[in-house]
Amino acid sequence: AADASLAATRENDVVHLRLPGPPRGVEPAAGRSRGDARDDPRAEMTQPSRRKVVQAAGLGSLFPWGERAAAMAGSGRGGAPKPGSSAGGPTNETVKLVNGMRHKRMGGGDIVVSEFGLGTQRWGGADFNSPDESLCHQFLDRAVLEKGVSLIDTAEQYPIPSDRARPEGNTERIIGSWLAKDKTRREKVVLATKITGGSNVTKKNIVKDLEGSLRRFGTDYVDVYTLHWPARYTPQSNWGQSLQYHREQENAPWYRDHASFEEIAEAMSDLIDAGKLRGWGMCNDNAYGLTASCYAAYALENGHAPCVMQNDFSLINRRVEENGVTEASSPANENVGFMAYNVLAGGVLTGKYLDVAAAVDNPRDPELAERLLNDPRGRMDDYSWGKTLYRYRSGPAGDATRQYAAIADAAGVSLTELALRWCRARDGVTSSLIGHTSMAQLDETLACFDANGDKGKPLPADVAWEIDRVHMRNRLPIFASDRVGRDWDGAGEIGERVP
């Protein structure tokens, strides 16, 4: 089932790498400085603060308008403030405290989100432990109405998994039914949803799919709209352990004629100008995708640059901090926010699979495996999910998890608390997206993000250093494996291309 799912996803990724075209003119916008000279998009700027850096890096040939965009010092990169608003500033700055919950700026505009966001992938889904509509509403009551959470992250493709009775779009409908109970709730939340990626990403579909999301939410605007995965080929856009870029994949038929960066930026900018979006971004992408998206928007008349990137990030996956995403997102560069998902690594960083391995990892004990499959502790004990999410349980990932568990034990905290507090404190993270299947889980998370409580404080410096020492011995554990068959011929455990 996992292999079939992966194959379907990869087949739908009808994309091909293409740089955006040349600029058609530049106009300043509220909160985002793109220069003053409209007649000559390459006109000399009075404060070319970044041009020399871009030229030195050779980016002028990569982005033909890079010299112009690099010179812009504006304060509003990454998102568009509401009309008439003067709001803007560095991404990730703490703007306010609501019921003990810190709220941070996402991008350079006026979008401000709680530093913990509700992850909703399984809300109203067909999984064995998917929360039903009633429980989802309880989550929202507790988190939003009582504890100051504002960010809700979802997607048109949610829930995953879905079925005929609980189809894709059901999660957005559940959120909409909660909003409909009280019209004042809409202003309390920041709604982030996603368009399905790959070949589905076209200018026409960006508009059409957003309209579908708006109907299900029962609202006339979405705060943040992101690509669920890139429109082009990139090796690590979904599950598995693919990291190496394979140039021949650019010419595969399912990657040809993908939407360009410019087409996407135009569509998103038009929707922002129409009042249907406040900001946009991308998920499961990299530093190239982020930067090219920004420069495509800078080159457009009335273009709005992305305000956020969303990627997998946890104690056992710091990849974005070390591959250029955090650098590109910095207020010193493109000023773009970051939403971290899988902060608990699919449940692995709760420690519940340490003593007894996941069901699919017990081939020599079929009786135990069968018992776990029939009474799963979480997704890793489900056969399909357990296979799909194998990277979080690779040999190196397991070693790192055990070492982090030992650090947590020595510090007198749970592994869950260690993982959440560590992620919350990363200066490149705007908000951590976390899913739950019970109120007890939600309350545990809320305690770790309560600025007024002990668990809401940063980890002690000596604990943070012990975490870094483990990281230095094992820097990218979920993309390393000690289970690589001699006869696998370039394929990973779920059929993905490796290395």
Side-chain angles (χ1 to χ4, degrees), residues 360-377:
V360 294
D361 296 333
N362 283 293
R364 297 182 181 180
D365 192 342
E367 184 177 338
L368 172 61
E370 186 68 23
R371 187 165 68 250
L372 294 173
L373 288 169
N374 291 331
D375 186 20
R377 295 160 293 176

Side-chain angles (χ1 to χ4, degrees), residues 262-298:
E262 186 176 44
E263 178 183 347
I264 295 166
E266 283 182 329
M268 296 294 191
S269 296
D270 288 348
L271 289 167
I272 290 173
D273 288 341
K276 294 187 176 183
L277 294 182
R278 293 178 62 204
W280 69 281
M282 62 288 299
C283 307
N284 302 304
D285 209 326
N286 54 33
Y288 170 69
L290 172 62
T291 307
S293 295
C294 288
Y295 276 75
Y298 301 160

